[in-house]
Every structure is written in structure tokens, then in C-alpha cells.
């Protein structure tokens, strides 16, 4: 099927070139600006140019973007590789002559990841590992219609129904789609957000909103949560699925194995995932390509956050050792009252 172009983006080639150029001069929307080649944009047919405009809209409108682009269809990574590949390599630090294909291996047998053995104080932290996945039978979230969002949610809910019957998982599916048979009320949704299980209202995120990813909120959105609340799947956030394992403790091997097992079970219950021969698993945001994985610890670092919401100093220190910092409430949130933050390795693609 021909990839869909959402309506609402009507730009002449000159408009698009001018907008990106002016952002580039101001060093804004950063990777989109740096790697934008006007001649390439002009060389595209009208249809492709509109698609390019849609992909780069978030970076153009949000000058503080780092990447500044989201794919709308899995095919975009191959069809627009002329522009996207240099951006992807730049953001992941992979030189032009190095093969980008990820080498994924779930075997942690040779590596002891017992945090408590490394440092007593790490024996009971909140650990989480997630992978982003999209199915190949729907456009990526930025280009889905409301009907497609709701249709995808019911495909996912059928898979969860099977998972719920499996004694290793159990649990329930919670939807925030108005009128869904799994619908939860605003109070329960709020509590799940507070518990750092459910995702926040995406319609307040300017990056996702301009990209069309948060459109039709809250239709087609929900979360599966296992009986022990240690295996969760977000439906309809930045990717079709964000599959994650979450535990208090210090043994990363156990957590990692829980994720592997859950992902494997789900893979058999869902339509095939979208993959690219070059990049591995396809994600909306080029920063998540490959394994689509992010592993993090929620921990209290009051001394580095002045007990408040300011993450500036901590971010600077973390960067030096290859780590990223987010607030406890997720990306673009501040530290919790007690200095609670989310720390994760910055590396995605290119790391085994
Ligand atoms: N659009 C944002 C930027 O370019 C996304 C950054 C990565 N975060 C994410 N949730 N994909 O800065």
C-alpha cells in the first residue's frame, strides 16, 4: 500500500527549504538542520516532498529538538535514506563506512549484572528495560487515523487476552479509549501515571503533537499490565508498542530475562513487527532504531539535583560517562521531590 501522508501539511518546496535553512542558521532542530540538503529536497516529486515535510515538521516547529524528525511509515527509513541515514549515523555516532545493522543478543549468561554486588546501595532500586516495536500492518503513529489507532488497539487487546490466560503473565488490559470495553476512569489513569506505569497525556508534548503522534488522544491508547505488575506494554504512545519489564531489586539479569520472555510470547501473538534490513527494528523516532531498547534505573540523587527539579548539573555530569538523565515522570519532566531521576545509557544503535 502507498504510505499515507496526513493532511494539514501543505508546503511548497521553497517553503520547506527556507524553513529548514533558517533553522539551520540558528542551529535549531539540530540534526534535521545539519543534514538537510536543499537539492535533495527539490529533486523529490511533490508526493515525496510532502512526506518529507511531515517527517521534519516537529524539528522545524520545535527549535530545541535534537533529532527533529519522526518516521511516518516503516518504509521511510529506506526511501528517505539520503537524508535520514546521515542523521541516524550522527545521532548514534556510527561512521559512514561502518555497517549499521544491529547485533542483538539476549544472552546475559556471561555477564553478572547484580547491582547490589557492585554497590550495597544499589540492591533495591527501581529497574526498567523497554523495547519499542511497531507492527508492519499499520502506518507508524504519526500517520495513523483515529480508526487505525482504535483498530490497532483491538488487535493488541486480542494478543493481551491470550497473555492474560498464560499463568506466567496474567494481569489485565486497561484502556483510555472512550467507550472501550477495557476503559478505566480518570482516577485510575491518574494513579497509574503516578505509579510511573502508564504514560502521560501525550497531547501536551509539543514534539509528539507537531509530529501527529499524539493526535486523536486518548483514542487507541492503553496499557497491559501483568499480575505482578512487572511486565507492561504501552499501546499507542510514540510507537505502536512499548514493551517493558519493571522490578524493584538489583538483579538486571532477572529483569532482562523477564523482558525477553514477554517479548517472545507477544511476538507470536501479534502481526509481524516492522523491521528494516539496515537498521533492525523500526521506530517512530530515529533515536530508538535497532534494538529499540532503553534500560534505566529510577534512583534518588538529591545531592545532584538540589532536591528540586533542576537536572542541568546532573545531565552535564552524566553525559561525561555516556548516560542520559530524565525526570522521574519521563522525558522532559523534572526530578521528583526527593531527587528521584531516571538514568540510562545514551547508546542505542551500535551497542550490543
Ligand atoms: N523529537 C525529539 C527531538 O528530536 C525526540 C528526542 C528523543 N526522544 C524521543 N522520545 N524519541 O529532540
Amino acid at each position: 500500500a502507498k504510505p499515507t501522508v496526513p493532511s494539514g501539511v501543505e508546503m511548497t518546496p521553497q517553503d520547506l527549504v527556507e524553513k529548514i535553512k533558517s533553522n539551520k542558521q540558528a542551529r535549531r532542530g539540530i540534526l534535521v538542520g545539519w543534514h538537510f540538503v536543499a537539492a535533495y529536497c527539490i529533486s523529490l516529486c511533490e508526493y515525496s516532498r510532502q512526506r518529507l515535510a511531515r517527517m521534519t515538521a516537529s524539528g522545524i516547529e520545535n527549535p530545541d529538538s535534537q533529532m527533529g524528525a519522526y518516521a511516518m511509515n516503516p518504509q521511510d527509513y529506506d526511501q528517505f535514506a539520503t537524508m535520514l541515514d546521515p542523521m541516524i549515523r550522527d545521532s548514534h555516532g556510527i561512521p559512514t563506512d561502518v555497517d549499521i545493522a544491529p547485533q542483538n543478543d539476549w544472552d546475559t549468561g556471561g555477564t553478572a549484572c547484580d547491582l547490589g554486588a557492585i554497590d550495597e546501595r544499589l540492591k533495591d532500586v527501581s529497574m526498567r528495560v523497554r523495547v519499542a516495536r511497531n507492527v508492519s500492518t499499520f502506518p507508524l503513529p504519526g500517520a495513523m487515523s483515529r480508526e487505525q489507532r482504535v483498530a490497532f488497539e483491538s488487535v493488541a487487546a486480542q494478543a493481551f487476552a491470550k497473555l492474560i490466560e498464560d499463568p506466567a503473565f496474567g494481569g489485565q488490559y486497561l484502556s483510555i479509549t472512550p467507550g472501550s470495553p477495557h476503559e478505566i476512569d480518570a482516577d485510575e489513569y491518574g494513579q497509574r501515571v503516578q505509579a510511573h506505569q502508564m504514560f502521560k497525556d501525550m497531547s501536551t508534548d509539543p514534539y509528539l503533537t507537531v509530529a501527529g503522534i499524539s493526535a486523536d488522544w486518548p483514542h487507541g491508547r492503553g496499557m497491559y499490565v501483568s499480575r505482578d505488575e512487572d511486565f507492561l506494554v504501552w499501546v499507542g504512545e510514540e510507537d505502536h508498542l512499548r514493551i517493558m519489564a519493571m522490578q524493584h531489586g538489583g538483579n538486571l539479569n532477572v529483569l532482562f530475562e523477564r523482558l525477553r520472555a514477554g517479548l517472545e510470547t507477544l511476538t507470536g501473538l501479534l502481526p509481524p513487527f516492522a523491521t528494516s534490513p539496515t537498521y533492525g527494528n523500526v521506530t517512530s523516532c530515529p533515536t530508538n532504531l535497532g534494538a529499540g531498547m532503553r534500560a534505566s534505573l529510577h534512583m534518588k540523587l538529591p545531592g545532584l539535583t538540589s532536591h528540586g527539579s533542576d537536572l542541568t548539573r546532573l545531565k552535564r555530569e552524566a553525559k561525561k560517562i555516556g548516560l542520559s538523565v530524565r525526570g522521574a515522570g519521563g522525558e522532559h519532566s523534572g526530578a521528583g521531590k526527593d531527587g528521584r531521576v531516571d538514568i540510562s545509557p545514551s547508546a542505542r544503535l551500535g551497542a550490543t
Side-chain angles (χ1 to χ4, degrees):
K2 215 176 178 194
T4 44
V5 183
S7 56
V9 189
E10 297 296 332
M11 271 203 244
T12 66
Q14 285 73 20
D15 280 348
L16 182 61
V17 171
E18 283 316 313
K19 279 207 157 188
I20 297 188
K21 266 192 183 162
S22 68
N23 275 10
K24 185 173 180 172
Q25 270 153 15
R27 302 197 167 197
R28 298 158 124 196
I30 191 136
L31 292 182
V32 152
W34 278 122
H35 296 289
F36 182 74
V37 178
Y40 168 66
C41 178
I42 306 271
S43 76
L44 295 171
C45 68
E46 182 56 25
Y47 169 72
S48 298
R49 199 160 35 241
Q50 293 301 335
R51 284 173 58 197
L52 188 76
R54 194 76 193 92
M55 279 191 282
T56 54
S58 188
I60 294 171
E61 300 301 325
N62 294 290
D64 60 345
S65 292
Q66 296 297 310
M67 175 60 78
Y70 292 94
M72 297 291 141
N73 295 276
Q75 304 93 307
D76 289 349
Y77 287 107
D78 296 316
Q79 290 175 9
F80 296 92
T82 307
M83 190 185 88
L84 293 176
D85 190 73
M87 290 172 61
I88 292 163
R89 287 178 182 276
D90 188 339
S91 110
H92 295 276
I94 303 174
T96 325
D97 51 349
V98 173
D99 183 12
I100 216 161
Q103 303 288 317
N104 295 332
D105 180 359
W106 286 89
D107 183 10
T108 60
T111 325
C113 303
D114 184 358
L115 298 174
I118 297 167
D119 188 320
E120 248 311 272
R121 291 166 296 180
L122 293 175
K123 74 173 194 289
D124 191 26
V125 280
S126 170
M127 311 177 291
R128 51 194 63 211
V129 189
R130 62 91 163 144
V131 289
R133 292 290 184 272
N134 292 279
V135 298
S136 58
T137 48
F138 284 89
L140 293 174
M144 289 170 100
S145 65
R146 176 184 291 202
E147 291 68 34
Q148 286 172 322
R149 294 182 201 281
V150 174
F152 173 69
E153 188 189 22
S154 54
V155 168
Q158 283 164 34
F160 299 136
K162 299 243 172 62
L163 206 59
I164 291 164
E165 287 168 15
D166 183 335
F169 295 95
Q172 51 185 328
Y173 180 66
L174 312 171
S175 175
I176 53 171
T177 300
S180 160
H182 308 281
E183 191 178 0
I184 54 170
D185 62 19
D187 279 352
E188 175 156 19
Y189 170 68
Q191 283 160 20
R192 298 277 180 181
V193 173
Q194 282 289 312
H196 305 301
Q197 289 183 340
M198 184 57 173
F199 47 102
K200 292 182 299 188
D201 181 347
M202 299 158 72
S203 62
T204 63
D205 181 316
Y207 308 92
L208 297 180
T209 301
V210 178
I213 293 174
S214 58
D216 310 311
W217 176 267
H219 293 265
R221 273 72 179 207
M223 174 181 79
Y224 161 80
V225 52
S226 69
R227 182 186 51 245
D228 297 339
E229 307 202 332
D230 65 343
F231 181 70
L232 293 86
V233 185
W234 290 356
V235 177
E237 207 243 11
E238 188 178 305
D239 291 292
H240 291 154
L241 301 165
R242 288 285 178 94
I243 302 165
M244 61 198 97
M246 220 186 233
Q247 273 174 23
H248 280 277
N251 193 331
L252 284 172
N253 300 70
V254 172
L255 180 73
F256 206 63
E257 174 52 26
R258 181 69 167 150
L259 178 61
R260 189 203 59 75
L263 176 62
E264 200 161 88
T265 306
L266 262 186
T267 303
L269 300 172
L270 286 161
F273 293 141
T275 57
S276 138
T278 319
Y279 306 109
N281 289 289
V282 163
T283 52
S284 283
C285 182
T287 59
N288 284 317
L289 287 169
M293 181 177 286
R294 195 175 83 91
S296 70
L297 297 184
H298 273 200
M299 52 203 303
K300 293 175 192 168
L301 297 175
L304 282 163
T305 52
S306 352
H307 295 268
S309 61
D310 188 13
L311 301 180
T312 320
R313 175 167 168 228
L314 179 56
K315 280 190 175 171
R316 196 175 54 232
E317 295 303 321
K319 200 175 176 183
K320 294 181 192 161
I321 49 173
L323 299 175
S324 299
V325 182
R326 295 179 174 191
E331 201 173 17
H332 315 306
S333 70
K337 259 213 198 81
D338 43 6
R340 187 186 293 270
V341 289
D342 173 300
I343 310 274
S344 63
S346 310
R348 298 279 191 280
L349 200 57
T352 59

